[in-house]
Amino acid sequence: MPECRCATWSRHPHAWSNQSVDAVATRRLCRVRVVGIQEPVDLHELHAEGATPQWLALRDTYETALTLYESGQWAAACRALYSLMDAAEGS
């Protein structure tokens, strides 16, 4: 059965208990504006329980690249993304 992927957002960054945060790994995808909400919100991908160390490392690299992109550091963001592409080709 294919892995289920979905995205979610929360108005409050600490809306989940520490227990549920530890149980479900997430990856920040982007910051979006939602109709009816004043402030932009972060959109996250939910990952299945028990994320592997490899997935966590890829997630951290992706989030670093996203932060670099959002701050206008284009070349550094590209370098980070290229390392993800190299990792995908090697697997």
Side-chain angles (χ1 to χ4, degrees):
M1 176 176 284
E3 180 180 1
C4 176
R5 294 182 180 261
C6 61
T8 186
W9 59 272
S10 171
R11 294 178 73 172
H12 302 125
H14 304 292
W16 294 354
S17 71
N18 287 337
Q19 182 179 9
S20 59
V21 169
D22 291 339
V24 178
T26 66
R27 176 175 66 140
R28 188 171 74 86
L29 298 175
C30 61
R31 182 162 275 236
V32 297
R33 292 197 175 272
V34 178
V35 174
I37 298 177
Q38 184 90 11
E39 297 293 319
V41 296
D42 288 329
L43 190 66
H44 289 261
E45 173 187 23
L46 299 177
H47 188 73
E49 291 184 34
T52 65
Q54 294 86 356
W55 187 89
L56 294 172
L58 292 172
R59 184 244 356 237
D60 293 344
T61 303
Y62 173 84
E63 288 185 355
T64 297
L66 180 58
T67 300
L68 291 166
Y69 174 81
E70 291 172 336
S71 66
Q73 298 179 51
W74 319 118
C78 283
R79 284 190 295 275
L81 289 174
Y82 280 131
S83 71
L84 288 177
M85 291 169 43
D86 289 341
E89 289 176 2
S91 48

